[in-house]
Amino acid sequence: MAKILLVEDDDSLAFLLKMQLEQSRHLIDVARRGLDALSQLRGNSSYELVILDWMLPDIAGVDVCKQYRSSGGRTPVLMLTAKGTVEDKATGLNAGADDYLVKPFHPTELDARVNALLRRPATYAGKKLSIRDIELDTASGTVMRGGNEVELTAKEFSLLELLMRYPGQSFSLEAILDRVWDSDSAASIDTVRTHMKTLRKKIGDNNEADGIIRTKRGQGYRIVDH
């Protein structure tokens, strides 16, 4: 699961790409203009990948990339374009893109490029995350604890996945809201707090002192792997 900004002005293509990426459990925000994309990137530091079309109605994708990089933006950028010459690819990469995908492309190739660009922590291995007696399978969307399956909602699954990808790292309510909910969602920090409470209950994590999910005043939630 990653939070991705998709910058594509073609409504039909944006819809199809969003559906495809959501099937891989990614959270997708869509911008249809280059200036809107820059505004969203400035206002949201939680994006883990930008998928950026070259041809946009206001400014070119390469210029979006240049401005983003010149302002200190470090999130990986995958450039989408019909321009397929060596010179065009060099232009995109020199503008700061991390990879380049020529239209039309097969969905499998997009998935492969996205997975290659997403920066995973060293503890991530394949499609399964394991901490103590909890195992989370990102491919099947299942969670097991002590050999028993735990039924979670999509948001509860995303919360647990976020914490398990970064064991020991604390996330504030605001940081979790940014990473797990859409930018235009009506969710609040109270929503996060409620979902975390039900998640803990479902995984049988009711003892704060030695639970696998713990909180620390002023720092937020973290998962403890020992």
Side-chain angles (χ1 to χ4, degrees):
M1 183 269 295
K3 190 164 188 177
I4 298 173
L5 177 62
L6 171 63
V7 189
E8 173 58 66
D9 67 313
D10 184 314
D11 288 340
S12 297
L13 181 57
F15 176 77
L16 291 173
L17 292 176
K18 186 173 188 290
M19 283 189 60
Q20 178 187 340
L21 293 164
E22 286 178 341
Q23 286 178 352
S24 298
R25 306 191 67 84
H26 299 307
L27 189 64
I28 311 301
D29 284 343
V30 178
R32 290 175 171 79
R33 298 169 61 87
L35 293 177
D36 291 341
L38 287 170
S39 177
Q40 286 180 243
L41 287 167
R42 283 193 294 267
N44 192 330
S45 61
S46 65
Y47 291 118
E48 296 168 69
L49 178 66
V50 179
I51 300 177
L52 177 63
D53 187 33
W54 185 308
M55 301 297 292
L56 296 169
D58 49 355
I59 61 174
V62 288
D63 293 322
V64 172
C65 196
K66 286 179 182 177
Q67 290 187 40
Y68 177 57
R69 293 298 187 221
S70 66
S71 67
R74 301 177 64 182
T75 300
V77 174
L78 172 60
M79 187 77 73
L80 303 182
T81 181
K83 298 174 178 286
T85 68
V86 173
E87 292 77 11
D88 290 327
K89 292 180 180 180
T91 298
L93 295 172
N94 288 334
D98 296 87
D99 200 359
Y100 195 105
L101 190 55
V102 179
K103 300 176 182 178
F105 48 81
H106 194 280
T108 301
E109 184 176 8
L110 175 63
D111 284 339
R113 300 292 183 105
V114 166
N115 290 334
L117 285 173
L118 288 173
R119 296 194 175 102
R120 306 294 190 186
T123 54
Y124 177 76
K127 297 177 180 178
K128 292 185 178 180
L129 296 166
S130 296
I131 291 181
R132 287 161 63 173
D133 63 341
I134 294 182
E135 184 176 273
L136 182 148
D137 189 323
T138 62
S140 64
T142 58
V143 173
M144 307 290 290
R145 182 158 200 188
N148 299 312
E149 184 170 356
V150 181
E151 294 289 341
L152 300 180
T153 66
K155 288 302 182 191
E156 291 163 356
F157 185 94
S158 295
L159 283 173
L160 183 59
E161 182 184 353
L162 173 63
L163 296 178
M164 290 183 70
R165 285 194 185 279
Y166 302 90
Q169 179 175 334
S170 294
F171 291 90
S172 67
L173 289 166
E174 292 81 4
I176 294 172
L177 183 64
D178 279 344
R179 284 175 175 260
V180 178
W181 275 265
D182 293 311
S183 297
D184 58 355
S185 169
S188 66
I189 57 174
D190 286 334
T191 307
V192 179
R193 192 178 285 115
T194 298
H195 278 74
M196 191 64 74
K197 182 178 180 180
T198 59
L199 170 62
R200 287 171 129 172
K201 182 177 180 180
K202 286 183 178 181
I203 64 173
D205 207 41
N206 301 314
N207 190 339
E208 169 66 22
D210 60 359
I212 192 168
I213 298 176
R214 302 185 193 177
T215 56
K216 189 171 184 179
R217 185 177 297 275
Q219 294 185 14
Y221 295 90
R222 74 188 192 282
I223 204 160
V224 180
D225 58 357
H226 59 272

